[in-house]
Amino acid sequence: MARSPGTKATADKPSEARALALDSFMRLLARTPFERISLGAVADEAKIPLAELRASFGSTFDMLAGFLREVDAKVLAPSSEDMADEPARDRVFDVLMRRLDVLAPHKPALRSLMDSARRNPFFALALNKLSVRSQQWMLAAARIDTAGLKGAVRAQGLALVFARVLQTFLTDDDPALARTMAALDRELARGERALGLIEGAVCLATGGRRGRGGKAASPEAPAAPPDVPVVA
């Protein structure tokens, strides 16, 4: 049965309000600490009624989770078939670089999140949970097993790796992200065995540091501090 024009308009309205709310929330986060963003401020920024905001989100933390789900979806959308025969470490490298590309327009908001996480350890733990869930999907995109306890440990380890790389990413103004790629390559090499990217006696590490498309990356970026908040 064909859907009537009136029904279609009604169905589209919640998704439009959701998109407006998320965009507005991220703009606010770029200039305001997370803990100071109110539901009313998001509704005002988005120019939508509170009722429409409530229909899409239950809280500002729910908005943050929604943003990360959208990031996940954008990273997962392209096919990874061209990387299927590459070593596991290279597949993870490619997926995480795609994630950084998606996050690039939101650097100010990510810096704000990191600052809030440093001030509030309970908020940091909640962010870590979101990041681990996202990294499970990143591992799946890289064709790495995410089942069971081993999969959960891998996802937590990759979340920590990604958090360290974000420290470099947020100060890397080079459009080619050479320092970021070097940091990611170093962190994956450091955590390769713990993340389960080496199976049995087969070493999946590639020789030398690489950039995207097999090009050499720049020298290593400085190591990030061990207490880096996990935020994305």
Side-chain angles (χ1 to χ4, degrees), residues 24 28 31 36-47 50 53:
S24 300
L28 286 170
R31 62 179 189 262
R36 290 174 53 193
I37 299 175
S38 69
L39 294 169
V42 176
D44 289 345
E45 181 80 12
K47 295 180 172 57
L50 275 172
L53 181 63

Side-chain angles (χ1 to χ4, degrees), residues 50-215:
L50 275 172
E52 289 188 16
L53 181 63
R54 180 63 184 90
S56 298
F57 298 103
S59 65
T60 51
F61 192 80
D62 192 19
M63 294 174 205
L64 181 56
F67 167 71
L68 291 179
R69 282 194 298 271
E70 288 205 349
V71 170
D72 295 344
K74 289 176 181 177
V75 177
L76 296 171
S79 172
S80 298
E81 290 298 321
D82 58 331
M83 295 292 293
D85 296 328
E86 298 297 325
R89 179 172 149 195
D90 287 1
R91 299 197 305 270
V92 174
F93 181 95
D94 182 71
V95 169
L96 292 186
M97 285 305 303
R98 293 208 314 257
R99 188 172 188 84
L100 290 169
D101 286 340
V102 174
L103 289 171
H106 304 287
K107 284 185 177 183
L110 294 176
R111 292 189 192 100
S112 175
L113 273 181
M114 282 192 167
D115 289 343
S116 292
R118 288 190 180 98
R119 290 190 295 268
N120 185 338
F122 296 104
F123 182 55
L125 287 173
L127 286 177
N128 178 74
K129 184 176 180 180
L130 291 182
S131 183
V132 169
R133 183 170 61 191
S134 288
Q135 294 305 330
Q136 286 178 318
W137 286 101
M138 299 303 98
L139 286 167
R143 299 173 181 267
I144 306 296
D145 186 16
T146 61
L149 180 59
K150 182 183 290 187
V153 171
R154 282 175 176 159
Q156 179 64 77
L158 195 59
L160 294 171
V161 163
F162 195 68
R164 294 189 183 100
V165 173
L166 272 181
Q167 291 287 290
T168 300
F169 171 68
L170 293 178
T171 61
D172 190 355
D173 296 325
D174 177 7
L177 296 178
R179 287 199 307 121
T180 300
M181 287 192 292
L184 177 56
D185 191 67
R186 183 192 68 245
E187 293 295 340
L188 287 176
R190 179 183 296 169
E192 193 166 27
R193 187 175 298 277
L195 289 172
L197 305 185
I198 296 175
E199 300 293 346
V202 180
C203 178
L204 299 177
T206 57
R209 192 165 292 105
R210 64 212 176 284
R212 298 161 102 167
K215 297 179 181 179

